[in-house]
Amino acid sequence: MLLRSALTLTLALASLSSAHAAAPAIDRNARIYSADGAVLGKVDRLMMKGDELTGVQLIFGSKMIVIPADTLTVEDTGVKTSLTKKEVRALR
């Protein structure tokens, strides 16, 4: 039983380590696209909490907004959010 618990813990830690290592690197000035394909702007600032990316800041329309990191993926053409343009417009 103890061996099984240790093995489960080891696998869980390995999973967390690989998920953290696989986090995409986002470049400042990268283009950001919405889920519906609209160009939203360019990354102005990376929002960090320690070593963890929490979001990206950009100028959208005439206001500064932050798109949460958990909605972002890095693609060949830039950064894509899972949010639509309408959802991004509602961010504050």
Side-chain angles (χ1 to χ4, degrees):
M1 184 68 162
L2 183 60
L3 181 59
R4 184 179 214 177
S5 296
L7 180 59
T8 302
L9 180 60
T10 302
L11 291 174
L13 290 174
S15 171
L16 287 174
S17 296
S18 64
H20 183 67
I26 297 175
D27 294 326
R28 193 167 174 265
N29 292 322
R31 242 181 238 287
I32 302 178
Y33 298 89
S34 67
D36 48 358
V39 176
L40 302 174
K42 291 185 176 183
V43 174
D44 184 62
R45 182 175 171 206
L46 300 175
M47 308 300 291
M48 305 294 288
K49 185 174 185 178
D51 290 339
E52 182 182 347
L53 178 69
T54 59
V56 294
Q57 186 178 52
L58 67 142
I59 298 171
F60 179 73
S62 60
K63 65 180 182 176
M64 216 37 129
I65 63 165
V66 175
I67 299 178
D70 61 352
T71 71
L72 302 173
T73 56
V74 176
E75 298 184 349
D76 292 338
T77 56
V79 179
K80 185 175 182 179
T81 179
S82 60
L83 304 174
T84 64
K85 186 175 181 179
K86 184 177 181 180
E87 292 170 324
V88 170
R89 192 178 293 124
L91 294 175
R92 295 181 183 256

